[in-house]
């Protein structure tokens, strides 16, 4: 069996795989061109392989992704190739990133960063607020939304959420609705946190009309995917001062072009799609692959299989 490892692995990780599965031929590369040519001959692939080349491969049976999302891998939906994801491995970091953004907004961190660069000791114009008593609205209440709520509850905030399917309101929240309640959430929340997956249903979910509904002075935070919100409408509200700010980890397209106006948008904190990253992530993703590969060799069901009909 030939396995493509399209991932930067430590020598000891590669040795571990070869020692545990001496009958297998592991091909390790970080070169996209080599990976594309190897896909035609490999039964298994690990890493962010080119989806179009993977879909054309006559030998490929299974792809283990390093991401939780499957946007970009739609060509595999029409094949018999099994796709498994890193679902759950980014959750804690995504939640902490969202909380960081909320605290940065409340304590006016972008303002003080500017003042620091100016050498200005300004204790009046940048006066912070308290998070306690503010309303945080969660757009999406899956694994990430749950962890955001658990981390915010000790701050004494009001927490409401919307999700795609009906569910009973859990103790972490003060209110839970379906997406039918999204407009009301946007109008009421001091902070809007988006963690929904990008699917056909959710693409463009927060369009210009919904951006306009957001409460004056509110902050927008996204740790999801570009394509969920109308970025032009959001940026317009930041420029006219009617929104307090935004923490933006994802965009459409990515990488964010060097001439994008987002780099210099007032009260916007831009990070390069790394909200889910942490020091232990590479080892965790490798462990996910090793566990699934052991199961694959034994003929057992694989864990964390993607469902292209749901979009994640």
């Amino acid at each position: 069996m030939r396995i493509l490892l399209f991932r930067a692995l430590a020598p000891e990780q590669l040795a571990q795989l070869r020692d545990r599965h001496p009958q297998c031929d592991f091909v390790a590369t970080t070169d996209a061109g080599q990976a594309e040519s190897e896909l035609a001959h490999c039964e298994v692939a690990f890493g962010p392989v080119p989806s179009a080349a993977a879909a054309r491969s006559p030998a490929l049976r299974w792809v283990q992704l390093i991401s939780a999302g499957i946007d970009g891998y739609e060509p595999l939906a029409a094949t018999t190739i099994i796709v498994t994801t890193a679902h759950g491995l980014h959750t804690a970091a995504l939640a902490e990133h969202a909380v960081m953004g909320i605290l940065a907004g409340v304590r006016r961190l972008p303002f003080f960063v500017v003042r620091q660069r100016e050498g200005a000791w300004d204790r009046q114009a940048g006066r912070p607020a308290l998070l306690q008593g503010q309303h945080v609205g969660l757009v999406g209440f899956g694994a990430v939304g749950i962890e955001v709520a658990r981390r915010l509850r000790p701050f004494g905030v009001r927490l409401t959420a919307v999700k795609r399917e009906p569910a009973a309101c859990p103790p972490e929240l003060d209110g839970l609705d379906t997406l039918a309640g999204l407009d009301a959430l946007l109008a009421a929340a001091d902070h809007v946190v988006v963690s929904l997956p990008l699917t056909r249903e959710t693409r463009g979910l927060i369009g210009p009309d919904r951006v306009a509904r957001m409460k004056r002075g509110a902050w927008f935070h996204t740790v999801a995917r570009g394509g969920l919100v109308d970025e032009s409408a959001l940026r317009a509200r930041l420029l006219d001062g009617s929104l307090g700010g935004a923490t933006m980890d994802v965009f459409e397209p990515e990488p964010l072009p060097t001439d994008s106006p987002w780099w210099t948008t007032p009260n916007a904190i831009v990070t390069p799609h790394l909200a889910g990253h942490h020091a232990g992530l590479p080892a965790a993703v490798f462990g996910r692959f090793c566990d699934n590969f052991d199961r694959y060799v034994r003929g057992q069901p694989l864990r964390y299989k993607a469902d292209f009909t749901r979009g994640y």
Side-chain angles (χ1 to χ4, degrees):
M1 185 192 311
R2 194 171 178 87
I3 299 94
L4 171 64
L5 305 171
F6 185 43
R7 183 82 171 141
L9 298 179
E12 57 269 23
Q13 290 176 320
L14 187 56
Q16 174 186 332
L17 285 171
R18 287 172 172 159
D19 288 345
R20 289 174 66 172
H21 303 283
Q23 78 281 14
C24 296
D25 180 15
F26 292 97
V27 180
T29 183
T30 56
D31 180 83
Q34 183 182 354
E36 185 165 340
S37 63
E38 284 289 347
L39 279 170
H41 312 289
C42 291
E43 182 174 336
V44 173
F46 169 43
V49 295
S51 59
R56 294 192 302 266
S57 171
L60 197 60
R61 298 292 177 267
W62 164 45
V63 174
Q64 172 69 57
L65 301 179
I66 63 173
S67 61
I70 57 174
D71 45 300
Y73 294 94
E74 290 82 0
L76 300 181
T79 73
T80 59
I81 298 169
I82 298 170
V83 177
T84 54
T85 74
H87 176 76
L89 299 182
H90 307 79
T91 300
L94 288 166
E96 291 182 4
H97 193 96
V99 173
M100 176 201 72
I102 292 170
L103 287 169
V106 169
R107 302 304 297 173
R108 299 210 62 188
L109 185 61
F111 174 87
F112 289 114
V113 168
V114 172
R115 285 294 186 263
Q116 176 183 339
R117 290 171 180 165
E118 295 172 345
W121 188 263
D122 188 342
R123 300 187 66 210
Q124 297 301 320
R127 187 169 294 170
L130 278 178
L131 179 54
Q132 182 180 5
Q134 293 200 6
H135 181 178
V136 178
L138 306 175
V139 183
F141 197 66
V144 176
I146 290 170
E147 291 304 316
V148 172
R150 287 174 177 169
R151 284 161 172 77
L152 287 175
R153 177 55 75 188
F155 285 96
V157 299
R158 172 171 168 75
L159 282 163
T160 62
V162 293
K163 61 183 300 182
R164 289 176 296 174
E165 298 174 354
C169 185
E172 293 90 350
L173 296 178
D174 298 298
L176 178 64
D177 200 350
T178 64
L179 290 179
L182 176 57
D183 289 349
L185 180 150
L186 293 173
D190 299 298
H191 295 270
V192 175
V193 179
V194 181
S195 63
L196 281 171
L198 180 65
T199 68
R200 288 187 295 271
E201 177 189 6
T202 62
R203 177 172 287 280
L205 181 68
I206 305 178
D209 290 347
R210 282 182 164 149
V211 170
R213 288 179 182 272
M214 288 179 62
K215 180 179 179 180
R216 184 173 184 85
W219 275 71
F220 180 87
H221 314 273
T222 179
V223 293
R225 285 291 190 273
L228 290 166
V229 63
D230 188 295
E231 294 173 11
S232 296
L234 182 66
R235 185 170 177 273
R237 288 207 60 189
L238 291 170
L239 291 175
D240 68 21
S242 61
L243 287 184
T247 57
M248 305 288 291
D249 186 58
V250 291
F251 296 87
E252 194 173 60
E254 290 181 358
L256 191 64
T258 56
D259 61 352
S260 170
W262 276 106
W263 294 112
T264 55
T265 299
N267 285 334
I269 300 174
V270 172
T271 52
H273 199 151
L274 50 61
H277 292 201
H278 55 91
L281 184 61
V285 172
F286 178 71
R288 171 70 53 86
F289 170 67
C290 289
D291 175 68
N292 258 343
F293 189 66
D294 287 344
R295 298 175 70 84
Y296 184 82
V297 170
R298 294 194 298 263
Q300 296 175 333
L302 302 183
R303 292 172 173 157
Y304 306 100
K305 290 174 65 174
D307 184 345
F308 282 95
T309 62
R310 293 179 63 87
Y312 58 91

